[in-house]
Amino acid sequence: MATLEKFNDMWVRACERKGGPEAVKSLLPHTLTADDIGDYSDATLLSALSKQVFQSGFVWRVVVNKWPAYEKAFFDFEPMKVLMLSPDQIQQRASDPALIRHQKKTQAIVDNAYMVQAISAEYGSFAAFIAQWPTDDITGLWRTLKKRGTRLGGNTGPYFLRTMGKDTFLLTQDVQAYLTGHNVVDAGFTSQTALRQTQAAFNQWQQESGLSLAHISRVISLGVGDNRV
């Protein structure tokens, strides 16, 4: 890997492109404390996780508009109630015109309810599990969600975490372009090598800047390409 660019240089570039420090600060994402994340219910997190699965590769607005119907169809996403659905009931929901007709994503709601329930049994709650995970190994949390859940690979798991306020960077197209263009990574982003290299770089930038991973990720994206944040 090449020598990492100093975070201050990335910050200056973002400010030059976006109209100054205050403009950049106004575009930074919001993160929550571990205590705040720990207050989420399992149902709230299962709903958010399921919504992110449906939004992946689909028109987000359509998913958002239909989500109240999902809340009703899946008992407000209470994991135990979701797990009581029979195969026929799951199939009915997968073909319901009031919802989105997608068998695999509908089944993922049930599969991920199993994950939430199992992790909750281990840690007291799914929220506690997410809250306590250290940010200097956030890609380890990505891997765990992908391994234990369903359809949570790629950016789906990270976007879910960001939505719920967990501090994480995102591998958007612009962030990936920066990391490859500056030789921060020398492998494909689906590889564990690239994730380790990326995590190490973000950890160093965090030590330099004192900012969150989410803020660093956004600053990088604001300073390059098309600002796909």
Side-chain angles (χ1 to χ4, degrees):
M1 285 196 306
T3 301
L4 287 180
E5 182 180 22
K6 295 296 184 183
F7 177 78
N8 186 65
D9 294 336
M10 296 189 291
W11 174 262
V12 169
R13 185 167 54 248
C15 290
E16 290 174 346
R17 294 192 73 195
K18 306 310 292 185
E22 293 307 314
V24 171
K25 290 177 183 179
S26 72
L27 296 171
L28 298 181
H30 182 59
T31 57
L32 298 178
T33 66
D35 287 343
D36 287 337
I37 292 172
D39 287 338
Y40 285 125
S41 68
D42 285 351
T44 296
L45 291 177
L46 179 59
S47 176
L49 186 62
S50 301
K51 182 188 289 186
Q52 195 63 59
V53 168
F54 274 90
Q55 287 177 324
S56 179
F58 202 75
V59 180
W60 285 33
R61 182 181 66 257
V62 173
V63 178
V64 170
N65 289 341
K66 286 182 176 288
W67 212 248
Y70 273 93
E71 295 281 356
K72 182 177 180 180
F74 287 91
F75 314 109
D76 293 321
F77 287 92
E78 290 290 343
M80 280 298 294
K81 293 181 180 180
V82 172
L83 294 177
M84 292 176 67
L85 289 168
S86 69
D88 285 344
Q89 289 173 316
I90 297 168
Q91 180 58 50
Q92 289 171 0
R93 284 157 174 77
S95 57
D96 187 341
L99 305 177
I100 295 170
R101 298 176 184 178
H102 198 298
Q103 178 68 43
K104 291 182 178 180
K105 290 189 177 187
T106 302
Q107 181 62 45
I109 295 175
V110 181
D111 294 343
N112 287 328
Y114 277 109
M115 175 190 70
V116 169
Q117 191 78 348
I119 291 177
S120 183
E122 294 175 42
Y123 292 88
S125 71
F126 189 48
F129 165 73
I130 292 174
Q132 60 81 38
W133 196 284
T135 57
D136 63 359
D137 182 35
I138 199 65
T139 57
L141 181 53
W142 297 3
R143 289 193 300 272
T144 300
L145 291 175
K146 178 181 178 181
K147 180 179 180 180
R148 299 191 64 169
T150 297
R151 302 183 76 89
L152 299 179
N155 267 332
T156 303
Y159 270 114
F160 156 69
L161 295 172
R162 173 69 68 82
T163 298
M164 304 314 296
K166 178 68 174 178
D167 185 21
T168 183
F169 54 84
L170 296 176
L171 292 177
T172 63
Q173 292 183 36
D174 282 336
V175 171
Q176 289 188 34
Y178 173 88
L179 295 173
T180 55
H182 286 74
N183 299 314
V184 176
V185 299
D186 54 17
F189 283 98
T190 57
S191 71
Q192 295 307 308
T193 296
L195 291 180
R196 285 194 298 270
Q197 292 171 337
T198 301
Q199 181 77 69
F202 271 87
N203 289 349
Q204 181 169 322
W205 288 323
Q206 188 171 51
Q207 291 174 3
E208 286 181 22
S209 66
L211 297 178
S212 67
L213 300 178
H215 286 183
I216 296 167
S217 178
R218 183 62 58 85
V219 168
I220 291 174
S221 67
L222 293 174
V224 300
D226 296 323
N227 299 166
R228 297 189 180 95
V229 297

